[in-house]
Amino acid sequence: MKRFQLFGYLNKDMDLLEKQLYRSVEGGGELLTETSLHLLKAGGKRLRPVFVLMGGKFGEYDLDKLSRVAIPLELIHSASLVHDDVIDDADTRRGEPTVKAKWGDKIAMYTGDYIYAKALALTAGLPNPRIHRILSKAMVEMSIGEMEQIRDFFNCEQTVRHYLRRIRRKTALLIAISCQLGALAAEADEEAVRLLYSYGYNVGMAFQIRDDLLDLSGTEKQIGKPPGSDMRQGNITLPVIYALEDERLRGELLGEIGRIRESRSGTGRAIDLILTGDGIKRAEELASRYVDKALAALDQLPNNRTKRNLRDIAHFVTGRAY
Amino acid sequence: MKRFQLFGYLNKDMDLLEKQLYRSVEGGGELLTETSLHLLKAGGKRLRPVFVLMGGKFGEYDLDKLSRVAIPLELIHSASLVHDDVIDDADTRRGEPTVKAKWGDKIAMYTGDYIYAKALALTAGLPNPRIHRILSKAMVEMSIGEMEQIRDFFNCEQTVRHYLRRIRRKTALLIAISCQLGALAAEADEEAVRLLYSYGYNVGMAFQIRDDLLDLSGTEKQIGKPPGSDMRQGNITLPVIYALEDERLRGELLGEIGRIRESRSGTGRAIDLILTGDGIKRAEELASRYVDKALAALDQLPNNRTKRNLRDIAHFVTGRAY
């Protein structure tokens, strides 16, 4: 996926951040620079840096200060992706071969460690200890979320609450603190900081639900990887949990998931089953409710151009803008 | 290996640190707490916390302040071990099954990520930004060292300089900053901070050379894993590099290492070859030279009980005290 192009007025700053991002992983020798840049240059929406800059628009916008939060956040996100690809045995991400596929598990693991460490070394320059606390706490939560995901692989008894807690840690938290830290770095007032956190959290939840939906209902071209990847690796997402609640689907779906687990079946039949029920619709509705909460938080922020853009992003996330 | 028992007067504080260490990894759910505690409770010499406390003895010794440096350092060390065991495919460490062996690569990877993150969250409470900078920079260097180690696996053309740079990053740096950060946290004077860093760095280099020596000349009981493990995984250590410099050994040793690489041979013959040359002796001499440098740095520090203990450790490390 390409970088968000919704807000031309941030493009110049985002171009600068992009260059800083590449520079930030230099200095680790040839191989680490190559693997790290491979990951970063494969692209991505740069959603977290965009949110940092936008959060900064509610205080004293200073690109230099903001970049010292934005770059570590994108690095932490990227490091988690590299490690995820090892766990998920993923060969492609964003349509490109993964570091894991190109260099193997071991090099992918140390590339992730290196990028995490680089992110932290960058935050070490920050004057506000609160920012550092928020960032490191988020990393703890993220790693707990990753572990929960492994633990819950192929667990067909998990509840919606289970799922929501997991994606909160895995995705929503980092997006929430992107908005929050942008505002904090720009010394915005406490109320704005709080509202931006709430906006980011709810958009993040909607974003992950949407992402999980696309894995079932999207095309390979749309999502940059074969559909059904989540299920193949055992990641039981919201529409699947809903479908399993449906008595008419549960029995056959359980059987299909069992066969997928033992690699005796593809995901085609399971996806067809899910599509016949109302799991997709219910998941879309829940995503919409999170978007509504994000919009409600936005409403209380002062009116400006950034606020309008944040509204566009919230709509974009639930696919209303597709 | 058991905790150093050389300095009774630190035992009470070390017992307190040990409990804090266990508590520090709580809160991540059942599985993460279990895997993290498995790693920590398997023991270890707690060399880094010991050095922190001893560094603190050259300033205003405050256990609470020192523990906020000591615990993160031991956690970073432990996290690196968990990830190393994945890379090295190690089944035992310190005579216990590794996290990797008990729970598999994926869980070992996230356990490491979690422990790293916990270490950082702890440092987030530190008031001195210089400490945070030193710590995060060391983590960057460590991950570069790990990557260099992978890159250099089975590389029989590497030089002694190559090797020394690698162990500097992999081991010596973290021991150096343990001594340094203890002194810094206790607000010791700059000259003491510098000398303690130098002591730690040189002891760390000697320690790793000695460790690599033991892998070739120690017994399984002594080292808690089968001898020759380094070579089996492709880690070409100092005595091997020296042996490869010996024209009478080089040809046959190259052949043996090639066969080890292809799993067509054990390490017995290669070790015998190395033992016939002077590689072991030369490596011991280099370790001794590092110990001498550590002792020279010590000499310039004020005389006290801790200084005598640090001298004992330096001797212990090169095995003179065995």
Side-chain angles (χ1 to χ4, degrees):
Chain A
M1 240 186 240
K2 288 279 175 53
R3 204 170 88 193
F4 269 121
Q5 292 297 341
L6 291 167
F7 9 84
Y9 74 107
L10 286 179
N11 269 342
K12 219 180 93 201
D13 289 357
M14 287 299 296
D15 286 343
L16 280 170
L17 279 191
E18 190 76 13
K19 277 180 204 137
Q20 279 186 41
L21 190 63
Y22 297 162
R23 267 203 307 273
S24 73
V25 294
E26 287 174 358
E30 226 173 277
L31 181 55
L32 268 176
T33 306
E34 194 183 343
T35 57
S36 303
L37 283 180
H38 174 81
L39 173 73
L40 295 177
K41 291 199 170 164
K45 294 176 292 301
R46 306 296 184 229
L47 200 55
R48 290 144 200 87
V50 163
F51 280 136
V52 170
L53 295 191
M54 294 179 103
K57 291 286 182 188
F58 291 87
E60 279 188 49
Y61 187 94
D62 175 333
L63 183 62
D64 186 50
K65 280 188 190 165
L66 291 167
S67 72
R68 285 197 272 168
V69 177
I71 304 284
L73 278 164
E74 186 67 14
L75 290 178
I76 289 170
H77 172 62
S78 301
S80 79
L81 293 185
V82 163
H83 280 185
D84 285 356
D85 288 339
V86 175
I87 299 301
D88 302 346
D89 232 337
D91 287 331
T92 57
R93 172 171 300 269
R94 301 163 179 164
E96 294 276 335
T98 59
V99 173
K100 176 224 131 58
K102 249 186 118 166
W103 286 277
D105 283 3
K106 295 173 180 186
I107 285 179
M109 191 176 75
Y110 282 137
T111 299
D113 286 3
Y114 172 72
I115 295 177
Y116 273 130
K118 277 281 186 178
L120 294 157
L122 283 173
T123 66
L126 292 173
N128 187 344
R130 188 170 160 205
I131 294 181
H132 180 51
R133 269 201 299 280
I134 292 169
L135 213 49
S136 57
K137 216 180 138 203
M139 283 178 67
V140 172
E141 290 293 317
M142 276 174 74
S143 60
I144 296 173
E146 305 285 9
M147 197 67 138
E148 285 173 339
Q149 181 163 319
I150 300 186
R151 187 199 57 197
D152 293 340
F153 273 164
F154 290 111
N155 171 9
C156 293
E157 304 307 318
Q158 65 187 287
T159 62
V160 172
R161 228 178 104 188
H162 238 92
Y163 166 84
L164 293 176
R165 194 177 55 191
R166 195 170 67 228
I167 67 168
R168 176 186 171 279
R169 286 183 158 134
K170 221 188 72 160
T171 306
L173 199 58
L174 204 64
I175 293 180
I177 70 166
S178 298
C179 298
Q180 179 192 26
L181 292 180
L184 267 181
E187 294 171 49
D189 65 70
E190 274 304 313
E191 181 63 2
V193 171
R194 190 188 66 76
L195 289 168
L196 282 161
Y197 179 94
S198 169
Y199 165 84
Y201 170 75
N202 286 296
V203 160
M205 293 297 282
F207 178 74
Q208 186 61 54
I209 294 173
R210 177 81 194 156
D211 209 49
D212 292 344
L213 271 163
L214 275 175
D215 187 65
L216 294 167
S217 60
T219 62
E220 176 152 2
K221 202 182 155 193
Q222 236 177 334
I223 56 180
K225 58 181 180 176
S229 301
D230 284 338
M231 210 186 288
R232 203 157 28 245
Q233 82 198 34
N235 188 8
I236 305 294
T237 58
L238 188 58
V240 187
I241 295 172
Y242 282 141
L244 285 165
E245 286 178 359
D246 186 335
E247 285 307 325
R248 289 162 306 173
L249 303 174
R250 183 175 173 82
E252 191 178 350
L253 187 52
L254 279 176
E256 277 302 316
I257 293 173
R259 275 186 287 281
I260 292 167
R261 181 175 200 162
E262 293 158 7
S263 304
R264 289 193 292 118
S265 173
T267 56
R269 176 70 191 140
I271 292 177
D272 283 348
L273 277 168
I274 294 162
L275 293 180
T276 62
D278 60 359
I280 301 284
K281 197 169 134 273
R282 286 176 71 194
E284 275 169 355
E285 280 166 5
L286 186 54
S288 282
R289 284 211 292 285
Y290 279 111
V291 170
D292 289 342
K293 281 190 211 168
L295 294 173
L298 261 193
D299 271 347
Q300 298 172 63
L301 282 163
N303 288 317
N304 60 23
R305 183 176 179 180
T306 302
K307 179 168 162 173
R308 289 194 299 279
N309 286 142
L310 288 170
R311 191 176 291 128
D312 291 342
I313 295 183
H315 287 144
F316 175 85
V317 157
T318 40
R320 293 180 201 165
Y322 278 139
Chain B
M1 243 186 236
K2 288 278 174 53
R3 204 170 87 193
F4 269 121
Q5 293 296 341
L6 292 167
F7 10 84
Y9 74 109
L10 285 178
N11 269 342
K12 218 180 93 199
D13 290 355
M14 284 301 294
D15 286 344
L16 280 171
L17 279 191
E18 189 76 12
K19 279 180 201 134
Q20 280 186 40
L21 190 63
Y22 297 162
R23 270 204 305 277
S24 73
V25 295
E26 286 174 358
E30 226 173 276
L31 181 54
L32 268 176
T33 306
E34 195 184 342
T35 56
S36 303
L37 283 180
H38 173 81
L39 174 72
L40 295 178
K41 291 197 170 165
K45 294 174 293 302
R46 307 294 185 229
L47 199 56
R48 287 142 202 90
V50 163
F51 279 135
V52 170
L53 296 191
M54 295 180 102
K57 292 286 183 190
F58 291 87
E60 281 188 49
Y61 187 92
D62 175 333
L63 182 61
D64 185 51
K65 280 188 191 165
L66 291 168
S67 72
R68 286 198 270 166
V69 178
I71 304 284
L73 277 165
E74 186 67 14
L75 290 178
I76 289 170
H77 173 62
S78 301
S80 80
L81 293 186
V82 164
H83 280 185
D84 284 357
D85 287 339
V86 175
I87 299 303
D88 301 347
D89 232 339
D91 287 332
T92 57
R93 171 173 299 270
R94 301 162 179 165
E96 294 276 335
T98 59
V99 174
K100 177 226 132 57
K102 247 186 121 166
W103 287 277
D105 283 2
K106 295 174 180 186
I107 285 180
M109 190 175 74
Y110 282 137
T111 298
D113 286 1
Y114 172 71
I115 295 178
Y116 273 130
K118 278 281 188 180
L120 294 157
L122 284 172
T123 65
L126 293 172
N128 187 344
R130 188 172 158 203
I131 294 181
H132 180 50
R133 266 200 301 279
I134 292 170
L135 213 49
S136 56
K137 217 181 136 200
M139 283 178 67
V140 172
E141 290 293 318
M142 277 174 72
S143 60
I144 296 174
E146 304 286 10
M147 198 66 140
E148 285 173 338
Q149 182 163 319
I150 300 185
R151 189 200 55 196
D152 293 340
F153 273 166
F154 290 111
N155 172 10
C156 292
E157 304 306 318
Q158 64 188 288
T159 61
V160 172
R161 227 177 105 187
H162 238 93
Y163 166 84
L164 294 176
R165 194 176 56 191
R166 194 169 67 229
I167 68 168
R168 176 186 172 277
R169 286 184 158 133
K170 220 186 76 163
T171 307
L173 199 58
L174 204 64
I175 293 180
I177 70 166
S178 298
C179 299
Q180 179 193 26
L181 291 181
L184 266 181
E187 294 172 47
D189 65 68
E190 275 303 313
E191 180 63 1
V193 171
R194 190 187 67 76
L195 289 168
L196 283 161
Y197 179 94
S198 169
Y199 166 84
Y201 169 75
N202 287 296
V203 161
M205 293 296 284
F207 178 75
Q208 187 60 54
I209 293 172
R210 177 82 193 154
D211 209 51
D212 292 344
L213 272 163
L214 276 174
D215 187 67
L216 294 168
S217 59
T219 63
E220 176 151 3
K221 204 180 155 194
Q222 234 178 336
I223 56 179
K225 58 182 180 176
S229 299
D230 285 336
M231 211 187 289
R232 205 156 27 246
Q233 83 199 32
N235 188 8
I236 305 295
T237 58
L238 188 58
V240 187
I241 295 172
Y242 283 140
L244 285 166
E245 286 178 358
D246 186 335
E247 285 307 323
R248 290 161 306 173
L249 303 173
R250 183 175 171 83
E252 192 178 350
L253 187 52
L254 278 176
E256 277 302 315
I257 293 173
R259 274 185 289 280
I260 293 167
R261 180 177 202 163
E262 292 158 9
S263 306
R264 290 192 292 121
S265 173
T267 55
R269 178 66 191 142
I271 292 177
D272 284 348
L273 277 170
I274 294 162
L275 295 179
T276 61
D278 60 358
I280 301 285
K281 196 169 134 274
R282 287 177 70 193
E284 275 169 354
E285 281 165 4
L286 187 52
S288 283
R289 283 210 293 281
Y290 279 111
V291 170
D292 289 342
K293 280 189 210 170
L295 294 173
L298 261 192
D299 270 346
Q300 299 172 63
L301 282 163
N303 287 317
N304 61 24
R305 183 175 180 180
T306 302
K307 178 168 162 174
R308 289 194 299 280
N309 287 144
L310 287 171
R311 191 175 291 127
D312 290 343
I313 294 183
H315 287 145
F316 176 85
V317 158
T318 39
R320 295 181 199 164
Y322 278 136

PDB file of all heavy atoms in Angstrom, chain A residues 165-178:
ATOM      1  N   ARG A 165      -8.989  -7.643  22.852  1.00  0.00           N
ATOM      2  CA  ARG A 165      -7.852  -7.348  23.720  1.00  0.00           C
ATOM      3  C   ARG A 165      -6.543  -7.549  22.954  1.00  0.00           C
ATOM      4  O   ARG A 165      -5.591  -6.787  23.102  1.00  0.00           O
ATOM      5  CB  ARG A 165      -7.890  -8.260  24.949  1.00  0.00           C
ATOM      6  CG  ARG A 165      -6.946  -7.799  26.044  1.00  0.00           C
ATOM      7  CD  ARG A 165      -7.056  -8.673  27.257  1.00  0.00           C
ATOM      8  NE  ARG A 165      -6.833 -10.056  26.902  1.00  0.00           N
ATOM      9  CZ  ARG A 165      -7.076 -11.076  27.709  1.00  0.00           C
ATOM     10  NH1 ARG A 165      -7.585 -10.861  28.906  1.00  0.00           N
ATOM     11  NH2 ARG A 165      -6.841 -12.307  27.330  1.00  0.00           N
ATOM     12  N   ARG A 166      -6.534  -8.580  22.109  1.00  0.00           N
ATOM     13  CA  ARG A 166      -5.324  -8.879  21.346  1.00  0.00           C
ATOM     14  C   ARG A 166      -5.009  -7.786  20.331  1.00  0.00           C
ATOM     15  O   ARG A 166      -3.869  -7.330  20.233  1.00  0.00           O
ATOM     16  CB  ARG A 166      -5.496 -10.239  20.661  1.00  0.00           C
ATOM     17  CG  ARG A 166      -4.233 -10.831  20.139  1.00  0.00           C
ATOM     18  CD  ARG A 166      -4.470 -12.259  19.722  1.00  0.00           C
ATOM     19  NE  ARG A 166      -5.352 -12.357  18.574  1.00  0.00           N
ATOM     20  CZ  ARG A 166      -6.402 -13.178  18.482  1.00  0.00           C
ATOM     21  NH1 ARG A 166      -6.706 -13.979  19.490  1.00  0.00           N
ATOM     22  NH2 ARG A 166      -7.141 -13.209  17.399  1.00  0.00           N
ATOM     23  N   ILE A 167      -6.024  -7.357  19.572  1.00  0.00           N
ATOM     24  CA  ILE A 167      -5.731  -6.347  18.536  1.00  0.00           C
ATOM     25  C   ILE A 167      -5.488  -4.974  19.174  1.00  0.00           C
ATOM     26  O   ILE A 167      -4.811  -4.134  18.599  1.00  0.00           O
ATOM     27  CB  ILE A 167      -6.819  -6.244  17.446  1.00  0.00           C
ATOM     28  CG1 ILE A 167      -8.143  -5.698  17.995  1.00  0.00           C
ATOM     29  CG2 ILE A 167      -7.030  -7.590  16.758  1.00  0.00           C
ATOM     30  CD1 ILE A 167      -9.118  -5.311  16.882  1.00  0.00           C
ATOM     31  N   ARG A 168      -6.029  -4.775  20.371  1.00  0.00           N
ATOM     32  CA  ARG A 168      -5.717  -3.549  21.090  1.00  0.00           C
ATOM     33  C   ARG A 168      -4.208  -3.460  21.304  1.00  0.00           C
ATOM     34  O   ARG A 168      -3.576  -2.458  21.024  1.00  0.00           O
ATOM     35  CB  ARG A 168      -6.440  -3.552  22.447  1.00  0.00           C
ATOM     36  CG  ARG A 168      -6.107  -2.368  23.324  1.00  0.00           C
ATOM     37  CD  ARG A 168      -6.719  -2.471  24.727  1.00  0.00           C
ATOM     38  NE  ARG A 168      -6.182  -1.411  25.554  1.00  0.00           N
ATOM     39  CZ  ARG A 168      -5.006  -1.458  26.161  1.00  0.00           C
ATOM     40  NH1 ARG A 168      -4.258  -2.536  26.056  1.00  0.00           N
ATOM     41  NH2 ARG A 168      -4.569  -0.426  26.865  1.00  0.00           N
ATOM     42  N   ARG A 169      -3.652  -4.568  21.805  1.00  0.00           N
ATOM     43  CA  ARG A 169      -2.212  -4.576  22.076  1.00  0.00           C
ATOM     44  C   ARG A 169      -1.397  -4.585  20.798  1.00  0.00           C
ATOM     45  O   ARG A 169      -0.371  -3.928  20.696  1.00  0.00           O
ATOM     46  CB  ARG A 169      -1.858  -5.823  22.886  1.00  0.00           C
ATOM     47  CG  ARG A 169      -2.317  -5.717  24.334  1.00  0.00           C
ATOM     48  CD  ARG A 169      -1.881  -6.923  25.123  1.00  0.00           C
ATOM     49  NE  ARG A 169      -1.843  -6.624  26.535  1.00  0.00           N
ATOM     50  CZ  ARG A 169      -2.340  -7.412  27.483  1.00  0.00           C
ATOM     51  NH1 ARG A 169      -2.936  -8.547  27.154  1.00  0.00           N
ATOM     52  NH2 ARG A 169      -2.252  -7.086  28.744  1.00  0.00           N
ATOM     53  N   LYS A 170      -1.881  -5.374  19.836  1.00  0.00           N
ATOM     54  CA  LYS A 170      -1.088  -5.603  18.633  1.00  0.00           C
ATOM     55  C   LYS A 170      -1.059  -4.376  17.731  1.00  0.00           C
ATOM     56  O   LYS A 170      -0.068  -4.119  17.056  1.00  0.00           O
ATOM     57  CB  LYS A 170      -1.702  -6.796  17.862  1.00  0.00           C
ATOM     58  CG  LYS A 170      -0.722  -7.757  17.275  1.00  0.00           C
ATOM     59  CD  LYS A 170      -1.416  -8.784  16.376  1.00  0.00           C
ATOM     60  CE  LYS A 170      -1.897  -8.199  15.074  1.00  0.00           C
ATOM     61  NZ  LYS A 170      -2.152  -9.163  14.005  1.00  0.00           N
ATOM     62  N   THR A 171      -2.153  -3.638  17.672  1.00  0.00           N
ATOM     63  CA  THR A 171      -2.273  -2.568  16.677  1.00  0.00           C
ATOM     64  C   THR A 171      -2.729  -1.242  17.260  1.00  0.00           C
ATOM     65  O   THR A 171      -2.093  -0.210  17.045  1.00  0.00           O
ATOM     66  CB  THR A 171      -3.291  -2.981  15.586  1.00  0.00           C
ATOM     67  OG1 THR A 171      -2.912  -4.239  15.060  1.00  0.00           O
ATOM     68  CG2 THR A 171      -3.349  -1.945  14.479  1.00  0.00           C
ATOM     69  N   ALA A 172      -3.847  -1.244  17.971  1.00  0.00           N
ATOM     70  CA  ALA A 172      -4.502   0.012  18.321  1.00  0.00           C
ATOM     71  C   ALA A 172      -3.632   0.895  19.215  1.00  0.00           C
ATOM     72  O   ALA A 172      -3.579   2.118  19.047  1.00  0.00           O
ATOM     73  CB  ALA A 172      -5.844  -0.271  18.999  1.00  0.00           C
ATOM     74  N   LEU A 173      -2.926   0.236  20.138  1.00  0.00           N
ATOM     75  CA  LEU A 173      -2.122   0.993  21.093  1.00  0.00           C
ATOM     76  C   LEU A 173      -1.058   1.841  20.406  1.00  0.00           C
ATOM     77  O   LEU A 173      -0.868   3.020  20.751  1.00  0.00           O
ATOM     78  CB  LEU A 173      -1.461  -0.001  22.051  1.00  0.00           C
ATOM     79  CG  LEU A 173      -0.961   0.564  23.353  1.00  0.00           C
ATOM     80  CD1 LEU A 173      -2.097   1.222  24.115  1.00  0.00           C
ATOM     81  CD2 LEU A 173      -0.350  -0.549  24.185  1.00  0.00           C
ATOM     82  N   LEU A 174      -0.363   1.291  19.440  1.00  0.00           N
ATOM     83  CA  LEU A 174       0.723   2.038  18.788  1.00  0.00           C
ATOM     84  C   LEU A 174       0.171   3.209  17.970  1.00  0.00           C
ATOM     85  O   LEU A 174       0.804   4.271  17.886  1.00  0.00           O
ATOM     86  CB  LEU A 174       1.574   1.114  17.912  1.00  0.00           C
ATOM     87  CG  LEU A 174       2.999   1.602  17.650  1.00  0.00           C
ATOM     88  CD1 LEU A 174       3.815   1.684  18.936  1.00  0.00           C
ATOM     89  CD2 LEU A 174       3.726   0.723  16.650  1.00  0.00           C
ATOM     90  N   ILE A 175      -0.998   3.012  17.396  1.00  0.00           N
ATOM     91  CA  ILE A 175      -1.618   4.113  16.638  1.00  0.00           C
ATOM     92  C   ILE A 175      -2.110   5.186  17.611  1.00  0.00           C
ATOM     93  O   ILE A 175      -1.940   6.389  17.375  1.00  0.00           O
ATOM     94  CB  ILE A 175      -2.736   3.571  15.734  1.00  0.00           C
ATOM     95  CG1 ILE A 175      -2.096   2.687  14.633  1.00  0.00           C
ATOM     96  CG2 ILE A 175      -3.548   4.702  15.110  1.00  0.00           C
ATOM     97  CD1 ILE A 175      -3.060   2.079  13.659  1.00  0.00           C
ATOM     98  N   ALA A 176      -2.681   4.729  18.732  1.00  0.00           N
ATOM     99  CA  ALA A 176      -3.139   5.689  19.750  1.00  0.00           C
ATOM    100  C   ALA A 176      -1.978   6.554  20.235  1.00  0.00           C
ATOM    101  O   ALA A 176      -2.083   7.775  20.301  1.00  0.00           O
ATOM    102  CB  ALA A 176      -3.775   4.942  20.918  1.00  0.00           C
ATOM    103  N   ILE A 177      -0.836   5.903  20.547  1.00  0.00           N
ATOM    104  CA  ILE A 177       0.259   6.716  21.086  1.00  0.00           C
ATOM    105  C   ILE A 177       0.953   7.530  19.992  1.00  0.00           C
ATOM    106  O   ILE A 177       1.605   8.521  20.298  1.00  0.00           O
ATOM    107  CB  ILE A 177       1.286   5.896  21.903  1.00  0.00           C
ATOM    108  CG1 ILE A 177       2.109   4.968  21.034  1.00  0.00           C
ATOM    109  CG2 ILE A 177       0.613   5.135  23.036  1.00  0.00           C
ATOM    110  CD1 ILE A 177       3.327   4.443  21.774  1.00  0.00           C
ATOM    111  N   SER A 178       0.782   7.150  18.724  1.00  0.00           N
ATOM    112  CA  SER A 178       1.314   8.000  17.649  1.00  0.00           C
ATOM    113  C   SER A 178       0.634   9.360  17.690  1.00  0.00           C
ATOM    114  O   SER A 178       1.283  10.405  17.635  1.00  0.00           O
ATOM    115  CB  SER A 178       1.101   7.351  16.280  1.00  0.00           C
ATOM    116  OG  SER A 178       1.781   6.125  16.205  1.00  0.00           O
TER     117      SER A 178
END
